Amino acid sequence: MMIRLVHLTLAWLVGIALGDWLWQQHLIACGTPLWIWPAAAGLGVIISARAGRLPTLRLAAALGVMILLGLTRYQATPLTPCLGPTDVATYNGSDEQPATVTLTGVIDGDPDPRDRQTQYRVRAQSLLVGEEEHQVHGLVLVQGPRYPLFAYGDQVRISGKLQTPPQLDDFDYQAYLARKGVYALLRQARLERLAAGQGSRVWAALYAVRGRSAEIITQLMPAPAAGLAQGILLGIDREIPRDLYERFNLTGTSHIIVISGSNISLVVAMLASAATRLFGKRRAVWLVLSGLTVYVLLVGADPAVVRAGLMGALAVMALYLGRQSEALTSLAVAVFVMTLINPLDLWNVGLQLSSLATLGLILFSTPLQESAERFLLRILPSTRARQAIGLLNDALLVTLAANVTTLPLIVYTFHRLPVISLLTNMLILPAQPPIMLWGGGALLLGLISPLLPLARLLALVPWLCLSYTIAVVRWTSALPGASLELPHFSAAWMWASYALIFGLLWWSQQAGARRAGWLRALATQLPAKTTLLALTGALAITGLALTQMPDGRLHVTFLDIGQGDAILIETPSGNTALVDGGPAPSALFAALGEALPFWARRLDLVVSTHDDLDHLGGLVPIITRYQVGQVVVNGLEAHTPEYAQWQANLGMTGIPVLRGQAGGQIHLGDGVWLDVLSPGAQWVTGTSADSNNNSVVLRLRYGRFSVLLPGDIEAVMEEDLQRQGAWLQATVLKVPHHGSNTSSTVDWLQVVHPQLAVIEVGKDNTFGHPKPEILARYRDLGIPVLRTDLSGTIEVSSDGRRFWIVSAR
């Protein structure tokens, strides 16, 4: 029965793939009657029933039936839909000429806020094109402003550009959205809330819990560990910096970021343990299934998660019925159910990789263990050999088994061979269970506000494991030859690789290979491993705490956050100030998480020099991550969504907000002062860039060491400050306006007379900053220049007399 079920599922998948091929070749189309394939399948059923003692014919007929049913299922939901007059996608424009429309609908999913925009999945209700209104249905992906943020269940009126999702050069975005049931894209959207609470109360509650949980995680630990924890615990990956995400891809470890079978196994185990003790075995089953369902929905119900959840539910039901759970059968059933619901999930890379990894564990874990045990028994005493197998199975064999079946697909899909994958996975996999167990426990405690301090203490364990994981991934990804580009690895090579893999498996089975259990070896090693991990963890936390204690120097760190400014100031005793936040919250929080001690959750001062997005964007949500003592702004009103949200956030907190004005002084402690040099009592008007020229200009001083932070002021303000007699001389100069040719005049630089200039600038930015003539000017004046796009984060420290420079690269 097991083999037959697996074969039937494979035939079903072949039918879906065949349906897609016939559709792409235009051999079937929207006009093709659906009844043809079920009729043919019915004929196959008759043949199977009359096959009598011909099992081969019966099996062939059954497989043929499943292929035809799979083809029928694909035709009912093809990749390119059969649109009718009420489908919203009927009114799509092209990428070059999108249709200008006004759409009314209900937000139908959890909003996805990014650094510069928020994406909403909206279920359409009506569409206004010109003067004509149409009643429509279907899902639309809406790309709107970052702020204000709307919620699931909000009925909204949206104006924007409606188009068919594009097919990009290196990514078929249209197919990606189609597999999610989305065939229309609304860009440059402006949203207006018409009503709230129009969605399901269950989903609204789940999204609220998910959002609150993500917020708690950011309060428990700093970025980027918090972003990674959100991915592992909640399936939210938007807080992970792009550079770090790419390093996970390079090392073949991106699978740990998503919810996987191991997460589901731990959830089931924890639920079963608690429910069985409280309610007994029979009642516990239904509680476990309910809890598992809630968890799958809570983390987003992506295909890979649903697959793992279905397999977990089948295992629980088998236990309840007193039957043996067969992993291969469970995998086949899970994949069949998912593609029955949505046949396009067959092309979901996440589902493909998770299913193949599970298949690898099922098929190869035991043979690899047996082979390793036979080899070790030849060179070691039996007791030592079994102990070694227990260690190897945790660190190496499980990783190797999963990699065997996923590697060809990874190379074909991403055209990259992660050479370092085995080593990286071997090093980081032991650190993942504590992240789930201790991180989940800390999160549950953190949801109870009075227990938040205890949750922070508990979160030290997952934070240590997350930081270790990130460090290993960064280290191994930087090794020479860590990842090889293989652009010519075609589908033929992929299928040939799988033919070889499964051919070798078949041969080994024919040779009489037997599977043996390895849980006893693992269990005998568990106490020693636990003790070792606990001692290592305590030692690592203590060592990290000692290395991150204040060292008695002033530290000024120019954070590498892309095209924008963000300067972190730390006094000798550890007081902190942040001047500007760059364009993107995720980049800022990641940079702060690396620059500050892991326990630091307070910024004594935040300065917003002016309202341009490359200075203000990252600051908007700063108060949700850190306790802020006071805020200094230039006071000039702006009319951007980011500025409005920034003002709203500040208004809700009661944080003191001061206007930075020439003559003001701020004492940061330890003899560290910030002198405000500009703007004056009256704002500057009538210049070519009033926002830039009204930047809060600061001079940081500590003993004989000083740093000039001029924001984005231009030549007119440089001259004005000289004319007013402001004290401009500084040891270090933050180059104004990212090295634009509108600033850094020769007279100004001669007055400031810095020993070092730092340019905060993004790599390959569209503005061409810094300008070559400005770099030449600094060079001609003998002023050394460091740039964040070349050197990464730049840290300058001083004891008040001398100064030291450390750059990330």
Side-chain angles (χ1 to χ4, degrees):
M1 178 62 68
M2 175 195 72
I3 299 299
R4 293 287 181 87
L5 183 57
V6 172
H7 284 169
L8 292 176
T9 300
L10 287 174
W12 165 265
L13 298 179
V14 168
I16 293 174
L18 177 61
D20 179 69
W21 183 82
L22 292 173
W23 193 276
Q24 299 299 332
Q25 300 301 316
H26 305 290
L27 298 176
I28 58 174
C30 291
T32 305
L34 277 173
W35 61 265
I36 292 178
W37 314 116
L43 180 61
V45 172
I46 294 173
I47 294 173
S48 178
R50 293 184 174 274
R53 297 182 179 180
L54 300 174
T56 303
L57 178 59
R58 186 185 302 116
L59 178 61
L63 295 178
V65 168
M66 292 304 294
I67 290 174
L68 291 172
L69 292 178
L71 196 159
T72 306
R73 182 64 190 94
Y74 177 86
Q75 189 180 347
T77 315
L79 191 62
T80 52
C82 302
L83 299 176
T86 61
D87 286 286
V88 66
T90 301
Y91 303 91
N92 286 351
S94 64
D95 193 19
E96 296 78 15
Q97 292 184 323
T100 300
V101 301
T102 299
L103 173 74
T104 300
V106 176
I107 297 176
D108 194 52
D110 198 13
D112 184 10
R114 310 290 179 89
D115 286 332
R116 294 180 179 271
Q117 65 177 8
T118 300
Q119 294 191 354
Y120 302 94
R121 189 181 67 195
V122 175
R123 188 168 296 280
Q125 295 174 325
S126 65
L127 189 71
L128 183 65
V129 183
E131 300 296 326
E132 189 174 357
E133 186 172 12
H134 307 271
Q135 298 302 309
V136 295
H137 71 275
L139 295 175
V140 181
L141 181 66
V142 176
Q143 296 177 344
R146 177 67 176 84
Y147 299 106
L149 189 64
F150 297 86
Y152 167 79
D154 284 350
Q155 185 184 42
V156 288
R157 181 185 293 118
I158 313 164
S159 300
K161 307 290 187 180
L162 186 68
Q163 65 178 77
T164 299
Q167 291 178 318
L168 307 177
D169 292 337
D170 57 348
F171 179 58
D172 192 345
Y173 192 48
Q174 184 178 26
Y176 170 78
L177 291 180
R179 292 174 194 130
K180 298 175 178 290
V182 178
Y183 302 98
L185 176 64
L186 192 62
R187 306 178 69 178
Q188 302 176 26
R190 298 181 301 278
L191 290 83
E192 174 189 358
R193 183 183 287 109
L194 301 179
Q198 302 299 301
S200 162
R201 292 184 179 180
V202 173
W203 279 111
L206 286 171
Y207 289 142
V209 171
R210 192 185 194 205
R212 177 59 179 159
S213 299
E215 182 182 337
I216 290 296
I217 289 174
T218 64
Q219 295 177 16
L220 294 179
M221 61 187 76
L228 186 56
Q230 287 182 6
I232 294 173
L233 296 173
L234 302 174
I236 301 173
D237 62 6
R238 56 177 173 259
E239 293 275 349
I240 302 173
R242 289 185 181 181
D243 172 68
L244 181 57
Y245 206 116
E246 179 60 20
R247 290 178 184 271
F248 275 95
N249 288 331
L250 285 171
T251 54
T253 52
S254 56
H255 61 89
I256 74 160
I257 298 174
V258 298
I259 306 297
S260 63
S262 59
N263 302 65
I264 296 296
S265 298
L266 286 170
V267 169
V268 169
M270 289 187 293
L271 289 173
S273 176
T276 302
R277 292 181 181 180
L278 293 174
F279 303 102
K281 180 180 177 180
R282 289 194 169 271
R283 292 182 180 178
V285 170
W286 306 110
L287 291 173
V288 172
L289 291 175
S290 300
L292 179 59
T293 302
V294 170
Y295 179 73
V296 168
L297 296 176
L298 179 67
V299 299
D302 288 334
V305 183
V306 176
R307 191 275 310 160
L310 284 171
M311 291 188 68
L314 289 171
V316 172
M317 286 302 299
L319 184 65
Y320 172 71
L321 296 173
R323 302 187 63 178
Q324 183 74 24
S325 175
E326 217 295 321
L328 196 59
T329 303
S330 298
L331 177 61
V333 171
V335 173
F336 173 77
V337 170
M338 295 191 62
T339 49
L340 177 64
I341 297 170
N342 181 9
L344 300 182
D345 276 345
L346 179 59
W347 288 271
N348 183 282
V349 176
L351 177 61
Q352 292 173 352
L353 288 173
S354 69
S355 299
L356 284 171
T358 303
L359 184 63
L361 293 174
I362 294 170
L363 297 179
F364 293 101
S365 287
T366 301
L368 285 173
Q369 180 200 347
E370 291 174 346
S371 299
E373 188 170 358
R374 285 195 298 269
F375 172 76
L376 290 173
L377 283 171
R378 293 194 193 110
I379 61 175
L380 293 173
S382 59
T383 303
R384 292 293 178 87
R386 290 185 174 84
Q387 290 176 345
I389 284 293
L391 294 172
L392 281 176
N393 203 57
D394 279 347
L396 178 62
L397 299 182
V398 170
T399 303
L400 188 58
N403 279 4
V404 166
T405 46
T406 57
L407 197 58
L409 178 62
I410 289 173
V411 177
Y412 169 69
T413 303
F414 303 107
H415 300 293
R416 178 188 296 136
L417 176 63
V419 178
I420 208 70
S421 174
L422 191 60
L423 173 63
T424 310
N425 277 284
M426 184 176 67
L427 292 174
I428 68 173
L429 281 181
Q432 304 316 300
I435 295 174
M436 189 70 186
L437 291 170
W438 290 77
L443 175 57
L444 291 175
L445 285 178
L447 290 170
I448 306 171
S449 297
L451 298 181
L452 188 59
L454 179 60
R456 287 197 176 111
L457 183 63
L458 195 65
L460 285 174
V461 174
W463 171 84
L464 177 64
C465 294
L466 289 161
S467 300
Y468 165 77
T469 299
I470 292 170
V472 169
V473 168
R474 283 181 168 158
W475 169 61
T476 55
S477 67
L479 294 175
S483 180
L484 301 179
E485 294 291 334
L486 295 175
H488 302 297
F489 191 85
S490 63
W493 280 107
M494 180 185 71
W495 289 116
S497 300
Y498 280 119
L500 177 63
I501 289 169
F502 291 111
L504 290 173
L505 175 66
W506 175 86
W507 178 84
S508 67
Q509 291 176 336
Q510 297 305 307
R514 294 290 184 268
R515 299 175 180 177
W518 48 269
L519 290 177
R520 288 192 302 273
L522 178 63
T524 56
Q525 293 299 316
L526 186 59
K529 291 180 188 175
T530 304
T531 304
L532 180 61
L533 285 173
L535 290 174
T536 304
L539 182 62
I541 290 175
T542 303
L544 282 170
L546 291 175
T547 60
Q548 295 187 335
M549 293 290 287
D551 60 2
R553 294 180 184 173
L554 170 69
H555 292 259
V556 181
T557 306
F558 300 88
L559 301 174
D560 180 17
I561 43 75
Q563 179 62 22
D565 278 4
I567 301 101
L568 176 67
I569 302 168
E570 298 171 87
T571 70
S573 64
N575 296 335
T576 54
L578 178 65
V579 180
D580 287 331
S586 60
L588 175 65
F589 294 146
L592 287 176
E594 294 182 356
L596 289 170
F598 64 84
W599 63 82
R601 308 301 295 167
R602 176 179 173 82
L603 294 168
D604 298 285
L605 173 69
V606 170
V607 180
S608 172
T609 61
H610 61 300
D611 57 71
D612 284 358
L613 184 62
D614 58 339
H615 294 252
L616 178 64
L619 292 181
V620 175
I622 194 74
I623 60 174
T624 66
R625 300 294 184 89
Y626 293 88
Q627 296 178 355
V628 177
Q630 64 177 345
V631 173
V632 172
V633 298
N634 68 352
L636 188 65
E637 292 288 336
H639 303 285
T640 64
E642 290 76 19
Y643 181 84
Q645 190 65 45
W646 166 243
Q647 292 296 307
N649 288 351
L650 292 177
M652 291 187 297
T653 60
I655 296 172
V657 180
L658 309 176
R659 182 194 167 195
Q661 188 172 328
Q665 292 184 331
I666 303 170
H667 187 216
L668 299 179
D670 306 310
V672 179
W673 291 85
L674 276 174
D675 299 325
V676 183
L677 308 183
S678 182
Q682 300 297 322
W683 289 301
V684 177
T685 58
T687 68
S688 60
D690 287 350
S691 176
N692 288 340
N693 286 316
N694 282 289
S695 295
V696 176
V697 178
L698 300 169
R699 184 175 181 270
L700 175 73
R701 53 187 171 91
Y702 175 55
R704 293 184 299 195
F705 175 78
S706 56
V707 181
L708 186 60
L709 305 173
D712 276 358
I713 64 169
E714 300 186 347
V716 62
M717 282 307 298
E718 293 177 352
E719 296 171 6
D720 190 57
L721 286 170
Q722 293 176 70
R723 188 168 52 252
Q724 294 174 19
W727 188 259
L728 299 173
Q729 191 279 327
T731 313
V732 178
L733 168 66
K734 197 283 297 184
V735 174
H737 205 183
H738 321 291
S740 166
N741 54 15
T742 60
S743 309
S744 296
T745 60
V746 173
D747 289 345
W748 156 269
L749 293 177
Q750 289 175 338
V751 170
V752 177
H753 191 57
Q755 299 178 44
L756 173 68
V758 177
I759 305 177
E760 292 217 285
V761 64
K763 184 179 181 181
D764 299 327
N765 65 86
T766 58
F767 304 98
H769 294 160
K771 297 295 184 181
E773 58 267 32
I774 296 301
L775 292 175
R777 186 175 301 166
Y778 280 83
R779 185 171 58 249
D780 293 342
L781 292 172
I783 303 171
V785 173
L786 289 177
R787 300 162 46 175
T788 54
D789 62 332
L790 299 180
S791 299
T793 292
I794 299 164
E795 179 181 349
V796 182
S797 60
S798 175
D799 59 2
R801 296 172 296 161
R802 300 165 294 171
F803 69 97
W804 295 263
I805 307 166
V806 177
S807 64
R809 300 173 194 152

